[in-house]
Structure formats: C-alpha cells, structure tokens
Amino acid sequence: MRDLLPDLRSRCAAGTPLALATVVAVHGSAPRDPGAVMAVDAAGTVLGSVSGGCVESDVYEVAREVLAGAEPRVVAYGISDDEAFGTGLTCGGTIEVLVRAYTSEAELADLAALLDLIAADVPVAEATVLSGAAETGARMVVRATGVQGTLGSEGLDAAVADDARGLLEQGLTGIQWYGAHGRRRMQEVSVFVRTYAPPPRMLVFGAIHHAAATARIGSFLGYRVTVCDARPAFATRERFPTADEVVRAWPHDYLEATEVDARTVICVLTHDPKFDVPLLIAALRTPAAYIGVMGSRRTHHDRLARLRTAGVDEAHLSRLASPVGLDLGARTPEETAVSIAAEIIQHRWGGTGRPLGELTGAIHHEVSS
C-alpha cells in the first residue's frame, strides 16, 4: 500500500472510483504476502500487484465487476483450484484475494483518511470482514486513540479493535476469527486485519564508504535510515543523500537517546574500539532485531575480549553478527552492502543462506507470530 500511496491519494482527491484487491491469505509458496495490494480505477488503470503476474488478469476482471456494482468478495487462486487452473499460481501455492470497491464520496473520503494516516507514519490497522455472520467488506479503522467505522455489532467491534491493536504493536497482519458478537475461539466471522506500522529503522554507525552503500540498500529495502558519526567532516548530507537523517554525535550517546524497537537493525561499521565498545554495550541493551558489526576476524576476537572485560556476558555476545554479512565473496562497498542486507533478510525470515537450487521444499519460509 505504501508504494501506491501517491497514486491512490490523488485518485481519492479527484473523486475517482477505484477497487482494491488485497491478498488476505497465502497457503504454500506464493510471490506476495498478505497485505499486497492491486488497485483498478474507473478508467481501467492498474496499480500494484497481488501475485507478480500470475493471476492479475482475472483479478482485474473481478475488480471491474465490483466497480460496476457487484458485491465485495473473496476469490481464491492456485493449482488446487480447478476453476482457476488457467490462471493458477505457477509457484504451486494458493492465495485468497479480497476485492472491494470505493465508489461513493463517503467511501473515498474514508479511504483517503486511512491513506493520510499511513503517509504520516501514524500506526493504524484496517479490519475488514471476509466471510461469515457479518457483511463481507464491512470495514473498521483502528488507532491507539479510537476507531472509525463498524463491522456490524458493538461486541465484534470491541473484540476486533482490541486484537488489532495487539497485532499493530507486533507488526503482524492476518485473519482473525470471532463469534457473530465478538466472542473469541469461535469460527462464525473471519476478519482480515492489515496493520500499517511506521517503517522499521536502520541505524548505521560509521560514516565510511561502506556506510553510504549500506544506507542506499537500507532505503531500497524500506527502512528509515539514520547514519551517525562523531566526525563532522564525514557525517554530511552530501555523503549520504539517500539517508533519512545524518547525525553528528558520539554513537553510543545517540543510540542511548533514540528509539529502538524489535524491528530496528543496527549496523556498526566503525571498527574502532573507542567507538565500538561503548556503542555495542548500548546496542546489546536494546531489543534490536539485528546487530551487525564490521571488522576482520582478528578485530572481532579483540572486540569480544574488550566486551567481556566490560562485563558483557556470552548470551548477549551471541547476538552479534560479526564479522557482518553473509559469505558472498564481496569486495566493493556495494557488494558488502548486499552481503549485509542478505544477512538482515536471513535473520528476519529464518532463511538458510544457501542457494535455493541446493534445497527442497517451500521457497518461502513459514514465520510464526
């Protein structure tokens, strides 16, 4: 949805009817995760994708039907679906797609309000009824401070709002089941909860050439990138044009004063003990998802000794990804940045780091909440 924000907001502002097709469930291997969106406007223009090309033609036709007045509905595609065999997923999985239209002034205004929140990086969740004892397509927007819309009953609204806030805090998206009036552990109503948390942060310490390349690939991956270095001559906007912010401060002072959550990744590229040791002590106190540290194996062993002397225990030291990156044979700063990014992705999704051609089974790893 973030990728489509400018186009969707302009259409809402112009009052242009549109249909949104959203992946709500994935079974087996599929090219897009739940939450992936494709939009079709009244002129027939297509934005975004739900499968990388496998089923877009059929989804387009469904979207045109919904724009013409058909009811919102969930459609499934995959090799197990005989009816959709001709448009089945070549990767072997199945996906379920919710298609609903926004045609009236009020509907477009509601969608525009959600898009404005997402653009402003306000944490927000959107809950939509998929099936069961409630109206398919009924929609509610949930924030920390309140809700907008209704799913049909006060009890259902309260239960979904409570769960949506929990999912939003964890950055999770998925289908939840309820009774018709919100009772949990019942299977009468399925609700898709799509969360929109602010982009995760990448903190890059050390304003060197490798940091510039790492900042670029971090931005490409969707992180909000901060580059920090205590040296004014190195920590400049000109050297890091793609970073969201460039900070001139002692690394450990900045880290101790900034927000770090369980989605934050930290890349320590200084490989200088006077910066590294206090910075890593501070980093290991945070819930950061990844702490990668640059340096040779000799530097790494020396660094570990210094950290042990400072009182850091083995459990905390085991969190360090050092020397940083996967073994790709990287040489240049850009290749090293790819190596670092590959390791960050591996940590996030639990990959093996091995060539896919050497493995069997599903390509996309199942990730538990």
Side-chain angles (χ1 to χ4, degrees), residues 123-125 160-174 176 178 193-200 261-264 287 289 348-349 367-369:
V124 62
V160 172
D162 185 51
D163 289 347
R165 292 188 179 103
L167 292 170
L168 183 59
E169 185 174 333
Q170 300 174 71
L172 299 176
T173 286
Q176 306 292 306
Y178 303 90
V193 180
R194 173 68 168 103
T195 62
Y196 300 94
D261 62 21
R263 300 188 303 149
T264 302
R348 180 181 181 186
W349 298 112
V367 180
S368 67
S369 62

PDB file of all heavy atoms in Angstrom, residues 123-125 160-174 176 178 193-200 261-264 287 289 348-349 367-369:
ATOM      1  N   PRO A 123       0.712   4.832  13.373  1.00  0.00           N
ATOM      2  CA  PRO A 123       0.349   3.414  13.479  1.00  0.00           C
ATOM      3  C   PRO A 123      -1.168   3.240  13.375  1.00  0.00           C
ATOM      4  O   PRO A 123      -1.932   3.856  14.117  1.00  0.00           O
ATOM      5  CB  PRO A 123       0.856   3.019  14.872  1.00  0.00           C
ATOM      6  CG  PRO A 123       1.918   4.024  15.188  1.00  0.00           C
ATOM      7  CD  PRO A 123       1.458   5.302  14.552  1.00  0.00           C
ATOM      8  N   VAL A 124      -1.599   2.410  12.437  1.00  0.00           N
ATOM      9  CA  VAL A 124      -3.031   2.229  12.207  1.00  0.00           C
ATOM     10  C   VAL A 124      -3.275   0.828  11.659  1.00  0.00           C
ATOM     11  O   VAL A 124      -2.402   0.244  11.004  1.00  0.00           O
ATOM     12  CB  VAL A 124      -3.560   3.315  11.223  1.00  0.00           C
ATOM     13  CG1 VAL A 124      -2.888   3.189   9.865  1.00  0.00           C
ATOM     14  CG2 VAL A 124      -5.071   3.256  11.089  1.00  0.00           C
ATOM     15  N   ALA A 125      -4.448   0.278  11.959  1.00  0.00           N
ATOM     16  CA  ALA A 125      -4.832  -1.033  11.445  1.00  0.00           C
ATOM     17  C   ALA A 125      -6.189  -0.919  10.768  1.00  0.00           C
ATOM     18  O   ALA A 125      -7.051  -0.133  11.189  1.00  0.00           O
ATOM     19  CB  ALA A 125      -4.902  -2.064  12.567  1.00  0.00           C
ATOM     20  N   VAL A 160     -12.429  -6.958  17.893  1.00  0.00           N
ATOM     21  CA  VAL A 160     -11.502  -6.769  16.774  1.00  0.00           C
ATOM     22  C   VAL A 160     -10.570  -5.592  17.046  1.00  0.00           C
ATOM     23  O   VAL A 160      -9.364  -5.667  16.751  1.00  0.00           O
ATOM     24  CB  VAL A 160     -12.282  -6.568  15.464  1.00  0.00           C
ATOM     25  CG1 VAL A 160     -11.337  -6.176  14.339  1.00  0.00           C
ATOM     26  CG2 VAL A 160     -13.037  -7.834  15.097  1.00  0.00           C
ATOM     27  N   ALA A 161     -11.097  -4.503  17.600  1.00  0.00           N
ATOM     28  CA  ALA A 161     -10.255  -3.349  17.898  1.00  0.00           C
ATOM     29  C   ALA A 161      -9.152  -3.724  18.881  1.00  0.00           C
ATOM     30  O   ALA A 161      -7.988  -3.329  18.724  1.00  0.00           O
ATOM     31  CB  ALA A 161     -11.098  -2.204  18.456  1.00  0.00           C
ATOM     32  N   ASP A 162      -9.504  -4.502  19.894  1.00  0.00           N
ATOM     33  CA  ASP A 162      -8.523  -4.928  20.890  1.00  0.00           C
ATOM     34  C   ASP A 162      -7.429  -5.781  20.245  1.00  0.00           C
ATOM     35  O   ASP A 162      -6.231  -5.564  20.461  1.00  0.00           O
ATOM     36  CB  ASP A 162      -9.227  -5.702  22.000  1.00  0.00           C
ATOM     37  CG  ASP A 162      -8.282  -6.062  23.134  1.00  0.00           C
ATOM     38  OD1 ASP A 162      -7.585  -5.171  23.641  1.00  0.00           O
ATOM     39  OD2 ASP A 162      -8.242  -7.244  23.514  1.00  0.00           O
ATOM     40  N   ASP A 163      -7.843  -6.747  19.425  1.00  0.00           N
ATOM     41  CA  ASP A 163      -6.860  -7.619  18.772  1.00  0.00           C
ATOM     42  C   ASP A 163      -6.038  -6.859  17.742  1.00  0.00           C
ATOM     43  O   ASP A 163      -4.835  -7.119  17.579  1.00  0.00           O
ATOM     44  CB  ASP A 163      -7.573  -8.793  18.098  1.00  0.00           C
ATOM     45  CG  ASP A 163      -8.140  -9.778  19.108  1.00  0.00           C
ATOM     46  OD1 ASP A 163      -7.777  -9.688  20.299  1.00  0.00           O
ATOM     47  OD2 ASP A 163      -8.959 -10.632  18.708  1.00  0.00           O
ATOM     48  N   ALA A 164      -6.666  -5.930  17.030  1.00  0.00           N
ATOM     49  CA  ALA A 164      -5.951  -5.159  16.009  1.00  0.00           C
ATOM     50  C   ALA A 164      -4.831  -4.334  16.637  1.00  0.00           C
ATOM     51  O   ALA A 164      -3.737  -4.227  16.074  1.00  0.00           O
ATOM     52  CB  ALA A 164      -6.919  -4.251  15.253  1.00  0.00           C
ATOM     53  N   ARG A 165      -5.081  -3.784  17.807  1.00  0.00           N
ATOM     54  CA  ARG A 165      -4.024  -3.011  18.483  1.00  0.00           C
ATOM     55  C   ARG A 165      -2.870  -3.915  18.884  1.00  0.00           C
ATOM     56  O   ARG A 165      -1.702  -3.517  18.826  1.00  0.00           O
ATOM     57  CB  ARG A 165      -4.610  -2.282  19.691  1.00  0.00           C
ATOM     58  CG  ARG A 165      -5.583  -1.159  19.318  1.00  0.00           C
ATOM     59  CD  ARG A 165      -5.999  -0.319  20.509  1.00  0.00           C
ATOM     60  NE  ARG A 165      -6.911   0.746  20.094  1.00  0.00           N
ATOM     61  CZ  ARG A 165      -8.225   0.735  20.279  1.00  0.00           C
ATOM     62  NH1 ARG A 165      -8.797  -0.304  20.899  1.00  0.00           N
ATOM     63  NH2 ARG A 165      -8.980   1.727  19.864  1.00  0.00           N
ATOM     64  N   GLY A 166      -3.192  -5.137  19.308  1.00  0.00           N
ATOM     65  CA  GLY A 166      -2.129  -6.076  19.636  1.00  0.00           C
ATOM     66  C   GLY A 166      -1.310  -6.464  18.419  1.00  0.00           C
ATOM     67  O   GLY A 166      -0.074  -6.530  18.475  1.00  0.00           O
ATOM     68  N   LEU A 167      -1.992  -6.712  17.304  1.00  0.00           N
ATOM     69  CA  LEU A 167      -1.288  -7.049  16.066  1.00  0.00           C
ATOM     70  C   LEU A 167      -0.441  -5.878  15.578  1.00  0.00           C
ATOM     71  O   LEU A 167       0.674  -6.060  15.085  1.00  0.00           O
ATOM     72  CB  LEU A 167      -2.292  -7.454  14.982  1.00  0.00           C
ATOM     73  CG  LEU A 167      -3.037  -8.770  15.215  1.00  0.00           C
ATOM     74  CD1 LEU A 167      -4.163  -8.925  14.198  1.00  0.00           C
ATOM     75  CD2 LEU A 167      -2.088  -9.952  15.116  1.00  0.00           C
ATOM     76  N   LEU A 168      -0.974  -4.671  15.733  1.00  0.00           N
ATOM     77  CA  LEU A 168      -0.247  -3.476  15.301  1.00  0.00           C
ATOM     78  C   LEU A 168       1.033  -3.305  16.103  1.00  0.00           C
ATOM     79  O   LEU A 168       2.091  -2.958  15.554  1.00  0.00           O
ATOM     80  CB  LEU A 168      -1.144  -2.248  15.454  1.00  0.00           C
ATOM     81  CG  LEU A 168      -0.589  -0.909  14.985  1.00  0.00           C
ATOM     82  CD1 LEU A 168      -0.233  -0.961  13.518  1.00  0.00           C
ATOM     83  CD2 LEU A 168      -1.602   0.201  15.244  1.00  0.00           C
ATOM     84  N   GLU A 169       0.972  -3.573  17.388  1.00  0.00           N
ATOM     85  CA  GLU A 169       2.155  -3.445  18.238  1.00  0.00           C
ATOM     86  C   GLU A 169       3.247  -4.419  17.807  1.00  0.00           C
ATOM     87  O   GLU A 169       4.441  -4.122  17.910  1.00  0.00           O
ATOM     88  CB  GLU A 169       1.772  -3.698  19.695  1.00  0.00           C
ATOM     89  CG  GLU A 169       2.902  -3.462  20.681  1.00  0.00           C
ATOM     90  CD  GLU A 169       2.441  -3.573  22.115  1.00  0.00           C
ATOM     91  OE1 GLU A 169       1.235  -3.332  22.385  1.00  0.00           O
ATOM     92  OE2 GLU A 169       3.267  -3.908  22.982  1.00  0.00           O
ATOM     93  N   GLN A 170       2.825  -5.590  17.299  1.00  0.00           N
ATOM     94  CA  GLN A 170       3.790  -6.594  16.872  1.00  0.00           C
ATOM     95  C   GLN A 170       4.147  -6.483  15.385  1.00  0.00           C
ATOM     96  O   GLN A 170       5.016  -7.216  14.900  1.00  0.00           O
ATOM     97  CB  GLN A 170       3.230  -7.993  17.134  1.00  0.00           C
ATOM     98  CG  GLN A 170       2.910  -8.277  18.596  1.00  0.00           C
ATOM     99  CD  GLN A 170       2.221  -9.607  18.765  1.00  0.00           C
ATOM    100  OE1 GLN A 170       2.826 -10.669  18.613  1.00  0.00           O
ATOM    101  NE2 GLN A 170       0.926  -9.578  19.043  1.00  0.00           N
ATOM    102  N   GLY A 171       3.438  -5.632  14.661  1.00  0.00           N
ATOM    103  CA  GLY A 171       3.689  -5.505  13.228  1.00  0.00           C
ATOM    104  C   GLY A 171       3.193  -6.690  12.439  1.00  0.00           C
ATOM    105  O   GLY A 171       3.767  -7.037  11.403  1.00  0.00           O
ATOM    106  N   LEU A 172       2.107  -7.323  12.889  1.00  0.00           N
ATOM    107  CA  LEU A 172       1.594  -8.528  12.243  1.00  0.00           C
ATOM    108  C   LEU A 172       0.316  -8.235  11.476  1.00  0.00           C
ATOM    109  O   LEU A 172      -0.478  -7.367  11.853  1.00  0.00           O
ATOM    110  CB  LEU A 172       1.321  -9.626  13.283  1.00  0.00           C
ATOM    111  CG  LEU A 172       2.524 -10.106  14.095  1.00  0.00           C
ATOM    112  CD1 LEU A 172       2.085 -11.116  15.142  1.00  0.00           C
ATOM    113  CD2 LEU A 172       3.582 -10.706  13.180  1.00  0.00           C
ATOM    114  N   THR A 173       0.099  -8.989  10.402  1.00  0.00           N
ATOM    115  CA  THR A 173      -1.097  -8.894   9.573  1.00  0.00           C
ATOM    116  C   THR A 173      -1.654 -10.296   9.374  1.00  0.00           C
ATOM    117  O   THR A 173      -0.892 -11.235   9.177  1.00  0.00           O
ATOM    118  CB  THR A 173      -0.753  -8.270   8.208  1.00  0.00           C
ATOM    119  OG1 THR A 173      -0.531  -6.864   8.370  1.00  0.00           O
ATOM    120  CG2 THR A 173      -1.871  -8.473   7.185  1.00  0.00           C
ATOM    121  N   GLY A 174      -2.997 -10.457   9.421  1.00  0.00           N
ATOM    122  CA  GLY A 174      -3.547 -11.783   9.193  1.00  0.00           C
ATOM    123  C   GLY A 174      -5.035 -11.859   9.485  1.00  0.00           C
ATOM    124  O   GLY A 174      -5.683 -10.862   9.826  1.00  0.00           O
ATOM    125  N   GLN A 176      -8.319 -13.143  11.577  1.00  0.00           N
ATOM    126  CA  GLN A 176      -8.766 -13.485  12.931  1.00  0.00           C
ATOM    127  C   GLN A 176     -10.211 -13.994  12.840  1.00  0.00           C
ATOM    128  O   GLN A 176     -10.974 -13.576  11.974  1.00  0.00           O
ATOM    129  CB  GLN A 176      -8.715 -12.250  13.838  1.00  0.00           C
ATOM    130  CG  GLN A 176      -7.366 -11.548  13.865  1.00  0.00           C
ATOM    131  CD  GLN A 176      -6.293 -12.378  14.523  1.00  0.00           C
ATOM    132  OE1 GLN A 176      -6.444 -12.831  15.655  1.00  0.00           O
ATOM    133  NE2 GLN A 176      -5.191 -12.587  13.822  1.00  0.00           N
ATOM    134  N   TYR A 178     -13.966 -14.903  14.937  1.00  0.00           N
ATOM    135  CA  TYR A 178     -14.787 -14.490  16.076  1.00  0.00           C
ATOM    136  C   TYR A 178     -16.182 -15.088  15.966  1.00  0.00           C
ATOM    137  O   TYR A 178     -16.601 -15.551  14.902  1.00  0.00           O
ATOM    138  CB  TYR A 178     -14.930 -12.959  16.116  1.00  0.00           C
ATOM    139  CG  TYR A 178     -13.615 -12.224  16.168  1.00  0.00           C
ATOM    140  CD1 TYR A 178     -12.976 -11.844  14.988  1.00  0.00           C
ATOM    141  CD2 TYR A 178     -13.015 -11.922  17.380  1.00  0.00           C
ATOM    142  CE1 TYR A 178     -11.766 -11.170  15.022  1.00  0.00           C
ATOM    143  CE2 TYR A 178     -11.799 -11.247  17.417  1.00  0.00           C
ATOM    144  CZ  TYR A 178     -11.185 -10.880  16.242  1.00  0.00           C
ATOM    145  OH  TYR A 178      -9.991 -10.230  16.271  1.00  0.00           O
ATOM    146  N   VAL A 193      -7.139  -8.422   9.312  1.00  0.00           N
ATOM    147  CA  VAL A 193      -6.569  -7.244   9.960  1.00  0.00           C
ATOM    148  C   VAL A 193      -5.237  -6.916   9.292  1.00  0.00           C
ATOM    149  O   VAL A 193      -4.292  -7.697   9.352  1.00  0.00           O
ATOM    150  CB  VAL A 193      -6.364  -7.464  11.469  1.00  0.00           C
ATOM    151  CG1 VAL A 193      -5.774  -6.212  12.108  1.00  0.00           C
ATOM    152  CG2 VAL A 193      -7.678  -7.838  12.140  1.00  0.00           C
ATOM    153  N   ARG A 194      -5.198  -5.777   8.646  1.00  0.00           N
ATOM    154  CA  ARG A 194      -3.981  -5.305   7.972  1.00  0.00           C
ATOM    155  C   ARG A 194      -3.407  -4.175   8.801  1.00  0.00           C
ATOM    156  O   ARG A 194      -4.081  -3.169   9.051  1.00  0.00           O
ATOM    157  CB  ARG A 194      -4.313  -4.808   6.561  1.00  0.00           C
ATOM    158  CG  ARG A 194      -3.138  -4.144   5.832  1.00  0.00           C
ATOM    159  CD  ARG A 194      -2.073  -5.164   5.501  1.00  0.00           C
ATOM    160  NE  ARG A 194      -1.080  -4.651   4.575  1.00  0.00           N
ATOM    161  CZ  ARG A 194       0.149  -4.244   4.910  1.00  0.00           C
ATOM    162  NH1 ARG A 194       0.510  -4.247   6.179  1.00  0.00           N
ATOM    163  NH2 ARG A 194       0.993  -3.833   3.998  1.00  0.00           N
ATOM    164  N   THR A 195      -2.162  -4.328   9.263  1.00  0.00           N
ATOM    165  CA  THR A 195      -1.551  -3.307  10.092  1.00  0.00           C
ATOM    166  C   THR A 195      -0.567  -2.463   9.277  1.00  0.00           C
ATOM    167  O   THR A 195       0.102  -2.960   8.376  1.00  0.00           O
ATOM    168  CB  THR A 195      -0.812  -3.927  11.286  1.00  0.00           C
ATOM    169  OG1 THR A 195       0.242  -4.770  10.827  1.00  0.00           O
ATOM    170  CG2 THR A 195      -1.769  -4.747  12.147  1.00  0.00           C
ATOM    171  N   TYR A 196      -0.514  -1.200   9.621  1.00  0.00           N
ATOM    172  CA  TYR A 196       0.404  -0.259   8.974  1.00  0.00           C
ATOM    173  C   TYR A 196       1.224   0.419  10.062  1.00  0.00           C
ATOM    174  O   TYR A 196       0.815   1.445  10.619  1.00  0.00           O
ATOM    175  CB  TYR A 196      -0.364   0.789   8.170  1.00  0.00           C
ATOM    176  CG  TYR A 196      -1.222   0.214   7.071  1.00  0.00           C
ATOM    177  CD1 TYR A 196      -2.571  -0.070   7.294  1.00  0.00           C
ATOM    178  CD2 TYR A 196      -0.688  -0.052   5.825  1.00  0.00           C
ATOM    179  CE1 TYR A 196      -3.360  -0.602   6.284  1.00  0.00           C
ATOM    180  CE2 TYR A 196      -1.472  -0.584   4.809  1.00  0.00           C
ATOM    181  CZ  TYR A 196      -2.805  -0.854   5.054  1.00  0.00           C
ATOM    182  OH  TYR A 196      -3.589  -1.388   4.045  1.00  0.00           O
ATOM    183  N   ALA A 197       2.335  -0.179  10.395  1.00  0.00           N
ATOM    184  CA  ALA A 197       3.262   0.424  11.345  1.00  0.00           C
ATOM    185  C   ALA A 197       4.237   1.311  10.587  1.00  0.00           C
ATOM    186  O   ALA A 197       4.451   1.131   9.384  1.00  0.00           O
ATOM    187  CB  ALA A 197       4.010  -0.667  12.112  1.00  0.00           C
ATOM    188  N   PRO A 198       4.835   2.294  11.261  1.00  0.00           N
ATOM    189  CA  PRO A 198       5.852   3.102  10.588  1.00  0.00           C
ATOM    190  C   PRO A 198       6.980   2.217  10.068  1.00  0.00           C
ATOM    191  O   PRO A 198       7.204   1.117  10.586  1.00  0.00           O
ATOM    192  CB  PRO A 198       6.355   4.039  11.704  1.00  0.00           C
ATOM    193  CG  PRO A 198       5.237   4.090  12.686  1.00  0.00           C
ATOM    194  CD  PRO A 198       4.599   2.735  12.649  1.00  0.00           C
ATOM    195  N   PRO A 199       7.707   2.658   9.051  1.00  0.00           N
ATOM    196  CA  PRO A 199       8.803   1.841   8.519  1.00  0.00           C
ATOM    197  C   PRO A 199       9.810   1.491   9.616  1.00  0.00           C
ATOM    198  O   PRO A 199      10.065   2.306  10.505  1.00  0.00           O
ATOM    199  CB  PRO A 199       9.442   2.738   7.450  1.00  0.00           C
ATOM    200  CG  PRO A 199       8.371   3.712   7.085  1.00  0.00           C
ATOM    201  CD  PRO A 199       7.569   3.934   8.321  1.00  0.00           C
ATOM    202  N   PRO A 200      10.381   0.291   9.585  1.00  0.00           N
ATOM    203  CA  PRO A 200      11.407  -0.055  10.564  1.00  0.00           C
ATOM    204  C   PRO A 200      12.651   0.800  10.359  1.00  0.00           C
ATOM    205  O   PRO A 200      12.872   1.355   9.281  1.00  0.00           O
ATOM    206  CB  PRO A 200      11.692  -1.534  10.277  1.00  0.00           C
ATOM    207  CG  PRO A 200      11.336  -1.704   8.835  1.00  0.00           C
ATOM    208  CD  PRO A 200      10.175  -0.789   8.597  1.00  0.00           C
ATOM    209  N   ASP A 261      13.324  -0.457  18.563  1.00  0.00           N
ATOM    210  CA  ASP A 261      12.344  -1.492  18.862  1.00  0.00           C
ATOM    211  C   ASP A 261      12.782  -2.812  18.246  1.00  0.00           C
ATOM    212  O   ASP A 261      13.887  -2.926  17.711  1.00  0.00           O
ATOM    213  CB  ASP A 261      10.940  -1.088  18.396  1.00  0.00           C
ATOM    214  CG  ASP A 261      10.846  -0.873  16.888  1.00  0.00           C
ATOM    215  OD1 ASP A 261      11.711  -1.402  16.148  1.00  0.00           O
ATOM    216  OD2 ASP A 261       9.907  -0.194  16.436  1.00  0.00           O
ATOM    217  N   ALA A 262      11.903  -3.794  18.307  1.00  0.00           N
ATOM    218  CA  ALA A 262      12.258  -5.146  17.877  1.00  0.00           C
ATOM    219  C   ALA A 262      12.341  -5.286  16.367  1.00  0.00           C
ATOM    220  O   ALA A 262      12.676  -6.361  15.870  1.00  0.00           O
ATOM    221  CB  ALA A 262      11.250  -6.154  18.441  1.00  0.00           C
ATOM    222  N   ARG A 263      12.033  -4.211  15.608  1.00  0.00           N
ATOM    223  CA  ARG A 263      12.192  -4.252  14.153  1.00  0.00           C
ATOM    224  C   ARG A 263      13.436  -3.496  13.693  1.00  0.00           C
ATOM    225  O   ARG A 263      13.774  -3.535  12.513  1.00  0.00           O
ATOM    226  CB  ARG A 263      10.958  -3.666  13.470  1.00  0.00           C
ATOM    227  CG  ARG A 263       9.651  -4.407  13.775  1.00  0.00           C
ATOM    228  CD  ARG A 263       8.519  -3.879  12.904  1.00  0.00           C
ATOM    229  NE  ARG A 263       8.338  -2.449  13.082  1.00  0.00           N
ATOM    230  CZ  ARG A 263       7.909  -1.610  12.134  1.00  0.00           C
ATOM    231  NH1 ARG A 263       7.638  -2.058  10.936  1.00  0.00           N
ATOM    232  NH2 ARG A 263       7.746  -0.331  12.397  1.00  0.00           N
ATOM    233  N   THR A 264      14.104  -2.816  14.606  1.00  0.00           N
ATOM    234  CA  THR A 264      15.264  -2.000  14.261  1.00  0.00           C
ATOM    235  C   THR A 264      16.476  -2.877  13.957  1.00  0.00           C
ATOM    236  O   THR A 264      16.714  -3.872  14.643  1.00  0.00           O
ATOM    237  CB  THR A 264      15.604  -1.057  15.422  1.00  0.00           C
ATOM    238  OG1 THR A 264      14.467  -0.234  15.716  1.00  0.00           O
ATOM    239  CG2 THR A 264      16.797  -0.169  15.074  1.00  0.00           C
ATOM    240  N   PRO A 287      16.240  -4.052  22.248  1.00  0.00           N
ATOM    241  CA  PRO A 287      15.590  -5.231  21.655  1.00  0.00           C
ATOM    242  C   PRO A 287      15.799  -5.327  20.151  1.00  0.00           C
ATOM    243  O   PRO A 287      15.024  -6.003  19.460  1.00  0.00           O
ATOM    244  CB  PRO A 287      14.116  -4.991  21.983  1.00  0.00           C
ATOM    245  CG  PRO A 287      13.970  -3.495  21.944  1.00  0.00           C
ATOM    246  CD  PRO A 287      15.277  -2.956  22.486  1.00  0.00           C
ATOM    247  N   ALA A 289      16.454  -6.122  16.330  1.00  0.00           N
ATOM    248  CA  ALA A 289      16.327  -7.410  15.645  1.00  0.00           C
ATOM    249  C   ALA A 289      17.671  -7.935  15.176  1.00  0.00           C
ATOM    250  O   ALA A 289      17.862  -9.154  15.059  1.00  0.00           O
ATOM    251  CB  ALA A 289      15.379  -7.269  14.459  1.00  0.00           C
ATOM    252  N   ARG A 348      15.622 -12.014   9.510  1.00  0.00           N
ATOM    253  CA  ARG A 348      14.201 -11.664   9.631  1.00  0.00           C
ATOM    254  C   ARG A 348      13.298 -12.848   9.321  1.00  0.00           C
ATOM    255  O   ARG A 348      12.316 -13.087  10.012  1.00  0.00           O
ATOM    256  CB  ARG A 348      13.888 -10.503   8.683  1.00  0.00           C
ATOM    257  CG  ARG A 348      12.432 -10.073   8.734  1.00  0.00           C
ATOM    258  CD  ARG A 348      12.164  -8.946   7.767  1.00  0.00           C
ATOM    259  NE  ARG A 348      10.778  -8.512   7.835  1.00  0.00           N
ATOM    260  CZ  ARG A 348      10.222  -7.621   7.021  1.00  0.00           C
ATOM    261  NH1 ARG A 348      10.959  -7.058   6.076  1.00  0.00           N
ATOM    262  NH2 ARG A 348       8.956  -7.296   7.143  1.00  0.00           N
ATOM    263  N   TRP A 349      13.635 -13.611   8.297  1.00  0.00           N
ATOM    264  CA  TRP A 349      12.722 -14.647   7.822  1.00  0.00           C
ATOM    265  C   TRP A 349      13.190 -16.069   8.114  1.00  0.00           C
ATOM    266  O   TRP A 349      12.471 -17.023   7.817  1.00  0.00           O
ATOM    267  CB  TRP A 349      12.496 -14.490   6.320  1.00  0.00           C
ATOM    268  CG  TRP A 349      11.852 -13.198   5.952  1.00  0.00           C
ATOM    269  CD1 TRP A 349      12.400 -12.156   5.262  1.00  0.00           C
ATOM    270  CD2 TRP A 349      10.513 -12.774   6.264  1.00  0.00           C
ATOM    271  NE1 TRP A 349      11.515 -11.122   5.115  1.00  0.00           N
ATOM    272  CE2 TRP A 349      10.342 -11.485   5.723  1.00  0.00           C
ATOM    273  CE3 TRP A 349       9.453 -13.369   6.953  1.00  0.00           C
ATOM    274  CZ2 TRP A 349       9.148 -10.771   5.857  1.00  0.00           C
ATOM    275  CZ3 TRP A 349       8.272 -12.659   7.074  1.00  0.00           C
ATOM    276  CH2 TRP A 349       8.131 -11.380   6.530  1.00  0.00           C
ATOM    277  N   VAL A 367       6.572 -18.217   8.916  1.00  0.00           N
ATOM    278  CA  VAL A 367       7.031 -17.452  10.053  1.00  0.00           C
ATOM    279  C   VAL A 367       5.915 -17.403  11.081  1.00  0.00           C
ATOM    280  O   VAL A 367       4.807 -16.949  10.804  1.00  0.00           O
ATOM    281  CB  VAL A 367       7.423 -16.008   9.639  1.00  0.00           C
ATOM    282  CG1 VAL A 367       7.893 -15.229  10.857  1.00  0.00           C
ATOM    283  CG2 VAL A 367       8.513 -16.052   8.593  1.00  0.00           C
ATOM    284  N   SER A 368       6.193 -17.890  12.291  1.00  0.00           N
ATOM    285  CA  SER A 368       5.174 -17.900  13.326  1.00  0.00           C
ATOM    286  C   SER A 368       5.109 -16.531  13.984  1.00  0.00           C
ATOM    287  O   SER A 368       6.088 -15.779  13.999  1.00  0.00           O
ATOM    288  CB  SER A 368       5.502 -18.956  14.381  1.00  0.00           C
ATOM    289  OG  SER A 368       6.674 -18.603  15.101  1.00  0.00           O
ATOM    290  N   SER A 369       3.963 -16.191  14.524  1.00  0.00           N
ATOM    291  CA  SER A 369       3.795 -14.901  15.205  1.00  0.00           C
ATOM    292  C   SER A 369       4.499 -14.892  16.547  1.00  0.00           C
ATOM    293  O   SER A 369       4.703 -13.840  17.108  1.00  0.00           O
ATOM    294  CB  SER A 369       2.312 -14.598  15.381  1.00  0.00           C
ATOM    295  OG  SER A 369       1.702 -15.565  16.184  1.00  0.00           O
TER     296      SER A 369
END
